[in-house]
Amino acid sequence: MLDSVKISRRQSEIRQALAGLVGKESPSEDETRSMETLDAEYRTNETRYRAALITEDAERREAKDDLETRSEREFSEMVGKFELRQVALALDEGRQLSGVTAEIVQELRSQGGYRGVPVPWAALEKRAGETVSSGTPDPIQTRPIIDRLFPASVAARMGGSMINIGSGEIEYPVTTSQVTAGWQSSETGSVGAPQAYTTTDKPLAPDHTLGIQMKITRKTLKQSGDALEQAVRRDMNGAIEQEMDRAIFLGSGASGQPDGIIADAAGYGITVTAVNAAASWSAFRAAVTRFMLANAAASPSAVRLLLRPEVWDAMDGTYVDAGSAVTEWDRLTKNIPNVTMATNALAAPTGTPAASKALLTVTAGGVPPFFVATWGAVDLIRDPYSDAASGGLRITALATMDVTVARPVQAEVLTGIQ
């Protein structure tokens, strides 16, 4: 208990005792001495109370950062102990959740409505060391909220910011005003007409829900706990990561899918440039130059590039000069070290000659090129009927997400890369 609180309580006790003594018309000598003692103690406590407040205020300021982050850190440590095995058994057998898993599920239910058992996104992170042979989990480091779910996903490597929203919608205001600078042409002249400061809202809405279905046999449910824990985590993580990566870049905007960054580049206002030539460093260099001219990138090394493995194959086999050991790929990676190759986030090459697309992004002024939002936690729902004959368990994982582009100037799509 704080010293200031202890002193404050003692002062209340002294006031109560004095109130009973001063009400007497003829107090005895002992009562008079008691009043003098209590009065002296009260005055001393007033000085101690002020000193305690000053000391505690200084301690609060010193511990401010720790107090602000302690809640989030403690929750991250709890999520590290979350057991998906308990969730699977609760859905299959109706077993009661216990320990940290029960606390987290209860907390998630108090913040939103779920038909099944809510599972925090962080619980899907793959954990190293949880094997049957060793039986001793290795400690893991909880990563930032932006990339704790899919730290190796294409979206994270391309600079996207992953945020979690409890409920409702979020809008990011982006400045769109064209404020100009002007010099005073004469002593009494004007510096120019004022320009309105305008912004455009980039909304994120919970309009897109991804469903993952998983079938767990009765044999699997009876196997060792750690093996099931790791298998469920790995399978669900992989399925969600693969489909979310595809939807973020190639989402059609129809049938419940969000508008993908590459598929709906025109709708986001992203520049689309047709290369229509063999893959070369000069084609990508022109796009980087446009970035730098638009003040979106300070140097080529700040640009992130997403392309197909077929493009790497073509560029790594094309030499700059006859007899030279330098390829077009060497020139590209020398200037753009942040290159990501993916087959899921980019469509396969088509046409004759075969051509594909590429995406360039950059983080400018601390603002990521795009935002990926997830709502609440992953909702696990049990289907007790489809596999009842075999004693199996079928669960559906529902995840709500959306994607938006903050500033179109921070991205560019290249087409016709042969």
Side-chain angles (χ1 to χ4, degrees), residues 92 94 159 164 175 291 362 364:
D92 179 56
N164 186 265
T175 302
F291 267 154
V362 65

Side-chain angles (χ1 to χ4, degrees), residues 125-131 134 136-140 230 233:
E125 185 181 51
K126 298 176 184 177
R127 303 175 186 175
E130 296 183 6
T131 58
S134 65
T136 303
D138 292 336
I140 63 173
Q230 195 70 339
R233 189 189 310 276

